[in-house]
Each structure stands twice: as structure tokens, then as C-alpha cells.
């Protein structure tokens, strides 16, 4: 294919990256040298994809979910790679972490597209592009990307922001209102609907700020700001257990660095949103 962008191969098992014990935590996003992969996993299939941040190829491989992790190797949750990001940065698809996440997204998609969705024949890799190809009916399947919005709601009366505790969050962590785009819906409509459904508020001036590939399993997170327009906070009690207006002086526990939610919250804290 193209010139190599990095020599490492990303080896996945389930939601983990498998690396040698010698690989320091700070280097897991570089993958593992091919000769080491081939020494240990003799017949493993390698898949390739073009990088998106520079000309070149990214390589990955998957271990079966029941395959033992050999002595001298360890499985590190892919999400842990995000902790390598420094404060104030976010996943933007570039660099070793961006490439690791792209390989992870593609690894999962390959596992989920073993068979043609139309006729059930075993898929192959298309020779000319990153797609799965059915040899029987010719159907092509591309990596699925699910857009989701995440929004910081700012109250211009006092500069506060709405942060909410979702049942899925760690204890005491408050973050932003998020949800998936529905078929046939604009992203702005998704923002307004999710806010209405989850906390019962109406917003105005919905503005796009930044996006982030989030392959857990296949999202593209689209970060927005919105201004509070009307309504009283009513947490839906299903996803959102509690939601409140916070000022910069009364902050709860916040989501970790590397997420677009934290990026938006930091933007609000710095007064740039
Ligand atoms: Zn088919």
C-alpha cells in the first residue's frame, strides 16, 4: 500500500490492546513491532487501512475472544490509552492515539461484518478500498460511524453551565448532555431533543465546536454549545439522575482529560465558549 506511518501493529482482543510486558504504558499507542507479533502469533491475520492524518498505512490484528494472552504479554483496555493525552487536548484522529483508535474501530467493525447482511455469505476484504465485500452478491459494507452530539448548555444570566450525572458515570462525576443522532434528524435537532428529553430545558443558539472519533464502539462525538432559553431542570430519571447549574466556583468531579466533554467544559471554564 503506502509508505509505513509507524512500524507497530495494533493487536486487539475484545476492548483491549494486547502488548508485551516490556511495553511501557506510555508507549502502548505505538503498537508492537511486526517481528515480535509474528514470532508469538504465527498465523495471525494482519489487516491494513490507510491512515487519515498522513499518507501511510496502519496495521492491526485481532486475537479471538477466548484465545489465551501468552505469558509475557498483557491486555490493556483501549480506553486507558486516552490517559496518555495531556490536559487540554482531545482525541482528534491524529498521532499514535488517533491511529490506535482508528485501528480499534476497524478491528471491531471487521468482527461485526464477518457475513454479508443481505445474503449471509462470508464477506471478504474489498481489494480496492476499506470495505467488506460479499463474493456472492457484491454487497459492500463500510465501517459504521454513529454520530452522537454532546452539548454544554450555558446560562448567560450568570455564566453557569448545566452539568448532569448519568447513571453510567462514576460516583459524583458530572458531565454534559449527550445522545445519538436519529435517522432523518439534523444535528441541531438532536441537540435540542436530547436536552428536552433528558433535562426538560429549551435552548437557543446551538453552535458546533469540535468533533472527536470515539470508537466505543463506533461513535463520532460532535461537541456543541447551546444557550439556555427556558424551562426548569427535570432530570429524566432514566439516564440522568441529577442535573444542576454549576458556576466556575462550585464545580463537581469532572470527566477525564481526552474527552470532548472535558474539552468543552474547559472551554467554558476559560471563558472561550
Ligand atoms: Zn451477499
Amino acid at each position: 500500500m503506502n509508505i509505513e506511518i509507524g512500524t507497530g501493529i495494533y493487536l486487539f482482543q475484545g476492548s483491549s490492546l494486547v502488548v508485551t510486558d516490556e511495553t511501557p504504558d506510555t508507549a502502548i499507542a505505538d503498537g508492537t513491532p511486526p517481528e515480535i507479533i509474528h514470532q508469538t502469533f504465527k498465523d495471525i491475520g494482519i489487516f491494513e487501512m490507510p491512515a487519515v492524518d498522513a499518507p501511510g498505512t496502519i496495521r492491526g490484528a485481532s486475537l479471538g475472544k477466548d484465545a489465551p494472552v501468552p505469558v509475557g504479554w498483557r491486555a490493556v483496555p483501549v480506553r486507558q490509552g486516552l490517559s496518555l493525552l495531556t490536559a487540554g487536548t482531545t482525541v482528534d484522529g491524529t498521532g499514535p492515539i488517533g491511529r490506535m483508535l482508528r485501528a480499534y474501530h476497524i478491528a471491531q467493525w471487521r468482527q461485526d461484518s464477518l457475513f454479508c447482511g443481505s445474503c449471509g455469505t462470508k464477506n471478504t476484504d474489498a481489494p480496492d478500498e476499506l470495505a467488506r465485500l460479499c463474493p456472492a452478491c457484491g454487497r459492500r459494507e463500510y465501517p459504521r460511524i454513529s454520530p452522537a452530539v454532546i452539548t454544554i448548555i450555558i446560562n448567560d444570566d450568570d455564566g453557569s453551565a448545566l452539568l448532569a450525572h448519568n447513571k453510567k458515570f462514576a460516583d459524583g462525576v458530572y458531565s454534559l448532555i449527550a445522545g445519538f443522532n436519529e435517522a432523518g434528524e439534523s444535528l441541531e435537532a438532536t441537540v435540542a431533543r436530547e436536552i428536552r428529553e433528558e433535562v426538560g430545558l429549551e435552548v437557543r443558539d446551538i453552535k458546533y465546536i469540535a468533533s472527536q472519533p470515539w470508537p466505543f464502539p463506533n461513535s463520532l462525538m460532535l461537541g456543541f454549545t447551546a444557550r439556555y432559553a427556558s424551562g426548569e431542570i427535570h432530570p429524566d430519571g432514566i439516564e440522568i439522575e441529577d442535573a444542576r447549574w454549576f458556576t466556575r466556583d462550585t464545580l463537581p468531579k469532572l470527566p477525564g482529560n481526552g474527552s470532548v466533554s472535558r474539552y468543552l467544559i474547559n472551554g467554558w471554564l476559560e471563558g472561550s465558549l
Side-chain angles (χ1 to χ4, degrees), residues 49-264:
M49 72 217 80
V52 291
D53 61 329
T57 302
I58 304 171
R59 286 181 293 177
S62 292
L63 271 188
K65 67 175 166 41
D66 299 323
V69 174
V71 175
W73 293 69
R74 64 198 166 104
V76 183
V78 173
R79 274 176 188 260
Q80 198 171 307
L82 299 177
S83 65
L84 299 172
L85 290 164
T86 50
T89 59
T90 184
V91 175
D92 62 0
T94 69
I97 295 170
R99 295 194 282 270
M100 174 186 74
L101 293 181
R102 174 156 162 78
Y104 179 55
H105 188 148
I106 297 305
Q108 294 179 101
W109 162 70
R110 288 174 57 82
Q111 292 294 317
D112 291 342
S113 59
L114 295 176
F115 299 94
C116 172
S118 289
C119 74
T121 303
K122 205 163 197 286
N123 275 330
T124 59
D125 287 323
D128 52 342
E129 60 179 350
L130 187 60
R132 303 286 273 165
L133 174 65
C134 174
C137 74
R139 177 179 181 270
R140 282 175 185 248
E141 181 171 337
Y142 296 91
R144 176 175 296 178
I145 299 168
S146 303
V149 300
I150 185 156
T151 310
I152 185 159
I153 308 165
I154 298 171
N155 188 332
D156 283 332
D157 289 344
D158 59 0
S160 61
L162 186 118
L163 300 175
H165 179 74
N166 187 305
K167 277 183 183 168
K168 292 183 213 146
F169 295 167
D171 273 358
V173 171
Y174 281 69
S175 187
L176 305 179
I177 302 296
F180 284 105
N181 175 247
E182 295 274 352
E185 186 179 53
S186 73
L187 294 172
E188 290 80 1
T190 310
V191 168
R193 176 181 55 75
E194 288 289 344
I195 292 169
R196 196 175 299 126
E197 286 176 1
E198 295 192 355
V199 290
L201 299 181
E202 297 297 324
V203 295
R204 58 181 168 78
D205 296 343
I206 296 165
K207 284 203 181 75
Y208 169 76
I209 303 295
S211 67
Q212 172 181 52
W214 194 250
F216 304 101
N218 55 28
S219 296
L220 175 67
M221 299 297 295
L222 298 129
F224 286 83
T225 57
R227 269 31 219 195
Y228 167 74
S230 63
E232 297 287 324
I233 298 173
H234 289 293
D236 67 5
I238 304 162
E239 288 187 63
I240 303 298
E241 286 183 325
D242 187 35
R244 301 178 207 177
W245 296 107
F246 289 92
T247 66
R248 293 174 175 83
D249 307 322
T250 59
L251 290 176
K253 242 194 269 182
L254 298 173
N257 285 315
S259 59
V260 74
S261 52
R262 184 57 180 269
Y263 179 80
L264 291 169

